[in-house]
Amino acid sequence: MTQVAVRSARTRARQGAHHLLVLLPGLAIALGVALVGLVVHDRFPVVSPHVVAVAFGILGATFGRVDDVFRPGLKVSAKRVLRAGIVLLGFRLSLSELGRLGPRALISVVVVVVATFFGTRWLAKRLGIAPGLGLLLGTGYSICGASAIAAVEPFADASEEEVAYSIALVTLCGTLAIFVLPGIGTLLDMPDAQFGAWVGASVHDVGQVVAAASTHGASSLTTATIVKLTRVAMLAPLLAGIAISARRRRGADAIEGAPRPPILPLFIVLFLVAVAIRSTGVLSLSTLARIKDAETILLAMGLVGLGSNVDLKKLRAVGGRPLALGLSAWALVAVVSLVAVELSSL
């Protein structure tokens, strides 16, 4: 190796080390908050560690506690770390578990996702809300909340404030669902399994699904988890469709030299690979448990980063119409999923 090559390698190594040092403070604070979320969840199972992570990020941004030294690492957490968590989320899914639902239940899940996604975007248009914000909320409410919003954000042409507002709304409505849905289920005298299916089909975050379904017993929790993870599996085809639409929309720019967005982002491809690996049955239960712990931590770290962009004082400028859209979308997914569950159980 020549001296020039050696110096070049040393320079790259120093630059890499410096870059890592710049990221460490933000990554460390995100990891610390994620671990706090796990402790809180362990003490109070009704509280999702992901909700704790988002809340800490929002409070830090709102009250000016996010110093510039933390921002590079938090930015990486909000994108790369969060996407790594989404990849690991695929290890919760197996084709055999999805098959346990049966064709009618699977069709019901697809109907709920499609109706919520397009219904929310239609409501956004009627309310005069920007298409980007409508896309973020439609994806978040129909699939898996903040994680889905993060996945679709590159295709939404939305501002940071709109992304932040979307995350805040799905977090708010998902948290409300933990307390509202069990009461409605009891009022309607729903069987445990049927209530679990409703929760899995309508609540956004996996942790929130577990918290709500647990109030009606083990049968409810099992059904809710399977239905919810089936919704999560819909993230891949939905995102592929959104990406194809974005490629067509940006076709003129691509001709001028700007690259088109990929049909399927790499992290979604890896998500599908994770599903395939889980479906083979080669992973032990202890390995899957460790992967689940890592997934929870990575997703929580990412949500700290996303939440750190949410300054509630600045969100006032967005206005009340997005709030009306968020609450309407929450009602839409709850009603559509309730009807779908009732029909699929006939």
Side-chain angles (χ1 to χ4, degrees):
M1 182 180 292
T2 66
Q3 291 183 349
V4 173
V6 171
R7 284 197 297 269
S8 177
R10 289 174 178 172
T11 299
R12 288 195 297 269
R14 285 195 296 268
Q15 290 174 341
H18 175 72
H19 182 63
L20 180 60
L21 288 174
V22 170
L23 298 179
L24 276 179
L27 291 174
I29 198 71
L31 176 59
V33 172
L35 295 176
V36 169
L38 289 176
V39 172
V40 172
H41 176 66
D42 186 58
R43 293 284 301 276
F44 306 98
V46 73
V47 180
S48 166
H50 299 151
V51 172
V52 174
V54 171
F56 266 86
I58 292 174
L59 291 174
T62 301
F63 294 102
R65 299 299 182 184
V66 182
D67 296 332
D68 290 340
V69 70
F70 298 120
R71 293 200 177 279
L74 290 173
K75 185 176 181 180
V76 169
S77 289
K79 293 187 178 295
R80 296 182 182 179
V81 175
L82 182 61
R83 290 177 182 181
I86 293 173
V87 170
L88 295 186
L89 188 61
F91 286 102
R92 293 203 191 191
L93 297 165
S94 71
L95 298 178
S96 61
E97 288 179 339
L98 300 183
R100 285 169 54 188
L101 285 180
R104 294 176 67 178
L106 285 172
I107 292 172
S108 297
V109 172
V110 173
V111 168
V112 169
V113 170
V114 171
T116 304
F117 178 74
F118 287 104
T120 300
R121 298 190 71 185
W122 179 82
L123 288 170
K125 186 175 181 180
R126 298 288 294 179
L127 290 169
I129 292 172
L133 181 55
L135 176 59
L136 291 171
L137 288 174
T139 308
Y141 277 83
S142 62
I143 302 291
C144 54
S147 300
I149 289 172
V152 80
E153 184 266 336
F155 306 102
D157 294 325
S159 66
E160 286 189 0
E161 287 76 14
E162 289 173 333
V163 175
Y165 206 112
S166 301
I167 293 168
L169 283 174
V170 296
T171 301
L172 169 65
C173 292
T175 303
L176 289 174
I178 296 173
F179 305 99
V180 173
L181 264 59
I184 295 177
T186 300
L187 185 65
L188 296 177
D189 196 25
M190 298 178 69
D192 288 349
Q194 190 179 59
F195 174 76
W198 182 39
V199 170
S202 61
V203 181
H204 319 310
D205 180 80
V206 175
Q208 294 165 345
V209 167
V210 171
S214 298
T215 61
H216 280 235
S219 174
S220 171
L221 178 58
T222 299
T223 305
T225 303
I226 295 173
V227 171
K228 174 58 189 174
L229 294 179
T230 304
R231 281 175 67 201
V232 173
M234 290 288 293
L235 178 62
L238 181 63
L239 202 61
I242 292 170
I244 292 171
S245 176
R247 282 170 64 89
R248 291 174 178 171
R249 189 173 65 249
R250 301 174 189 175
D253 293 336
I255 294 173
E256 297 171 4
R260 291 188 180 188
I263 293 179
L264 205 60
L266 177 60
F267 73 97
I268 293 298
V269 174
L270 295 176
F271 169 88
L272 294 174
V273 170
V275 174
I277 294 173
R278 168 66 191 276
S279 299
T280 64
V282 299
L283 299 177
S284 65
L285 293 178
S286 60
T287 299
L288 290 172
R290 287 193 291 270
I291 292 175
K292 181 180 177 182
D293 291 339
E295 167 230 308
T296 301
I297 291 174
L298 291 177
L299 286 177
M301 289 178 64
L303 293 175
V304 174
L306 287 174
S308 67
N309 291 319
V310 182
D311 186 341
L312 296 178
K313 292 177 289 188
K314 293 182 180 180
L315 289 180
R316 295 175 185 172
V318 181
R321 285 183 296 177
L323 176 60
L325 174 61
L327 294 175
S328 299
W330 181 37
L332 174 66
V333 67
V335 172
V336 170
S337 58
L338 179 60
V339 173
V341 167
E342 290 282 357
L343 291 176
S344 65
S345 62
L346 293 178

